[in-house]
Amino acid sequence: MTHTEGYARAGVLSTPHGDVETPAFMPVGTQGAVKGVTHRDLESAGADILLSNTYHLYLRPGDDLIARRGGLHRFIGWSKPILTDSGGYQVFSLAERRTIAEEGARFRSHLDGSEHMLTPEKAADIQAQLGSDISMVFDECLALPADTNAVRTSMERTLRWACRARDRFLAIAAGRVPEVVVSNPGQAQFGIVQGGTHLDLREESARRTVEIGFEAYAIGGLSVGEPPATMYDIVEHTTPFLPADRPRYLMGVGTPEDILEAVARGVDMFDCVLPTRNARNGQLFTRRGRINIKNTQYSEDDGPVDPDCGCYTCRTFSRAYLRHLYAVNEINAATLNTLHNLHFYLDTLRGIRESLKFGRFETFRNEFLQH
Ligand SMILES: [Zn+2]
């Protein structure tokens, strides 16, 4: 860490594909691309790290095929860092199409109904073949609300799975799993803290995950419908049990406000589909709140989406034009809206990092939340 203010921190995450300044936001490139925009757009918006989804890449085009292409970076033409999730979240979202046992999760593909098995070992193997810079452990994503016993049972299983995932990761790194192609020898593995909304279980999960020993740690199972105040509370009571010298990643979060509040509680990394998914639905984030570009009120509005934004969309096009593109279902609508929303998120994170360097984070946070 290079600067701190309260619990908030600025730092640098080093990976085989370069450094990432934190706090950082990772755009979601589900299928090896961020929907609607090119990698060049991402780079010019200031994205330093991309998230990609193991579940989707495993099914199509397959991790074997990607390994034969030299790994995910080379296959998709992105030379900066990549984090892959474990595939767990997507598998658990399949509901009736999957069964969970101690061994792992058996599921049917959402594409063709074919049967597959994802285990802690298999998730580590796939991510080694993809060659991401950061690999995530396979964890159980329990649907909330759940009673205390169910949350504890699930947390215990996640810990057993974490041990197995770590063993496999170390065996792969030591060259003891010859059937796995190692596409990126410098890959790191992050553990995941679970425990639902129970502060005592969160603390126990954090302590025991740290005991297993990973390069860094994530907080999972949040932003699944609980009130923001609950999420902030859990984050605040979890980060103190995670090593101060390692990045902390809050998975799947969130709104710009959520990110700011989590940074204030000691989190360093984020990913979320909100900026990209909402852009495709016409919802744009601005420094004065969100706007729905499809609304009639913008049909003759010659101003930019956000007068304080320096992105290509805001520098070049009017709200009236963007509304027209959306209304006629033009592909450009998704592209230009996504460019703006990603720029807004990445710019907000840039602002957070700058404010931390100058000891002005608290001021930045208050000003941001006032709008
Ligand atoms: Zn903009």
Side-chain angles (χ1 to χ4, degrees), residues 2 14 25 32 38 56 87 93 108 125-126 142 148 164 179 219 270 274 296 307 310 335:
T2 54
S14 292
F25 179 77
T38 65
H56 293 283
S93 307
R108 288 191 178 281
D125 293 356
I126 297 170
L142 190 68
T148 311
R164 284 167 54 190
E179 67 270 28
I219 303 173
F270 302 89
L274 267 188
T296 326
T335 299

Side-chain angles (χ1 to χ4, degrees), residues 285 287 304-315 336-337 339-341 343-344:
F285 292 88
R287 284 148 189 84
V305 168
D306 183 346
D308 298 320
C309 180
C311 84
Y312 171 67
T313 303
C314 289
R315 279 188 284 111
L336 296 176
N337 291 346
L339 277 181
H340 166 76
N341 273 359
H343 195 277
F344 180 84

Side-chain angles (χ1 to χ4, degrees), residues 88 92 98 100-101 137-142 150 153-155 157-158 161 194 221:
F92 284 93
R98 48 93 174 151
I100 314 299
V137 297
F138 186 67
D139 60 333
E140 181 165 1
C141 310
L142 190 68
T153 304
S154 170
M155 181 200 82
R157 172 173 282 164
T158 288
W161 283 1
Q194 288 287 352

